[in-house]
Amino acid sequence: MSQKVLHFVAGEDFELPDLPGRALPSRSYTETYYDTSGARLDRAGFVLRRRVENGKGVWHLTVTSDGQSALDVEALGGPAAPPSELQELLSAASAGFALAPVTRLSTKTNGKRVKQGSHTLARVLVSSVGVLEGRRVIEAFHELVLEPLAADGKEMARLEKALRRAGAKPGHAPAPVTHALGSEALDESPAATPDLERLRMFFREQFARMLAHDPGVRRGED
């Protein structure tokens, strides 16, 4: 049975425990996340960001539906606006509303390829993330990914235990877009009743699925 990739979060002071193996190459980049007023992209499961690494800017669109990845697209482009191919894929979810930056992150990654003898068991990737306000970091945290390579269940459990002892906790960090927008939401009326709320939930789910599959239909992949 194949092992699952495990995700963790940790505080600003987290340090990777001493695991046997070889250090992974380090990376450093900034990412700017975009959304519309009312967080229309976030509500539809769309994440749009532009990454700058070594002077090169790349736009990245990720779409999820029912917790599963539905689309993952990258395109080179400047900071003024997403490339036209991504704008088309966003058109249904953005509903014609203007895109604007909502948060900016600075990320440094490193980690280790964990070995036992000549066997590579797993890869541990550590991302040190800072939420930026101008050039100032106003919040910091760590994201970790434990990716099995040749590790079995017992070895993965041992590695997970080592990370948790060092302060890592299972789970994902809050989505940067959601964090930046807080509780902003579109106004809804009339006031909810139990029956009306169930109907709203049904329509929200169906509409979100339609939006999530819209880009794939435009690309001829869905």
Side-chain angles (χ1 to χ4, degrees):
M1 182 177 179
S2 60
Q3 303 298 314
K4 293 182 179 180
V5 175
L6 301 179
H7 296 264
F8 304 86
V9 293
E12 182 178 0
D13 298 329
F14 175 84
E15 292 186 5
L16 187 65
D18 185 18
L19 301 172
R22 179 169 54 87
L24 295 173
S26 61
R27 298 174 58 193
S28 181
Y29 52 86
T30 60
E31 289 184 310
T32 303
Y33 286 72
Y34 291 78
D35 207 330
T36 69
S37 61
R40 286 171 173 81
L41 298 189
D42 183 53
R43 290 156 61 92
F46 285 55
V47 177
L48 176 67
R49 62 191 184 272
R50 182 174 184 268
R51 173 180 293 181
V52 177
E53 183 175 7
N54 297 324
K56 179 181 177 182
V58 178
W59 288 84
H60 193 150
L61 173 63
T62 303
V63 183
T64 58
S65 178
D66 296 328
Q68 302 294 321
S69 177
L71 188 73
D72 202 349
V73 183
E74 287 188 350
L76 295 173
S84 58
E85 60 187 277
L86 293 191
Q87 291 190 39
E88 180 182 0
L89 300 180
L90 291 164
S91 58
S94 65
F97 285 80
L99 295 167
V102 292
T103 194
R104 186 164 168 263
L105 305 180
S106 172
T107 303
K108 295 180 180 179
T109 67
N110 54 46
K112 183 164 283 189
R113 188 174 291 270
V114 183
K115 303 190 72 173
Q116 186 175 58
S118 60
H119 299 288
T120 301
L121 300 180
R123 184 173 64 172
V124 181
L125 183 66
V126 182
S127 298
S128 304
V129 183
V131 181
L132 298 174
E133 188 176 84
R135 295 186 177 183
R136 185 169 62 94
V137 176
I138 59 174
E139 184 179 349
F141 56 90
H142 285 83
E143 296 178 325
L144 292 85
V145 177
L146 174 57
E147 178 187 0
L149 297 176
D152 59 24
K154 289 184 178 180
E155 290 164 335
M156 283 292 288
R158 177 172 55 82
L159 292 173
E160 179 182 1
K161 186 176 182 180
L163 295 178
R164 296 183 68 165
R165 281 181 173 175
K169 297 180 180 179
H172 293 269
V177 173
T178 303
H179 179 83
L181 293 175
S183 59
E184 180 183 358
L186 300 176
D187 291 334
E188 294 183 297
S189 60
T193 64
D195 288 340
L196 183 56
E197 189 55 35
R198 282 194 290 270
L199 183 60
R200 281 177 174 167
M201 182 66 70
F202 172 77
F203 283 127
R204 287 190 195 110
E205 291 174 352
Q206 297 303 310
F207 185 56
R209 288 174 180 170
M210 290 173 61
L211 291 179
H213 288 84
D214 177 83
V217 173
R218 293 174 186 272
R219 289 166 58 90
E221 298 176 355
D222 193 322

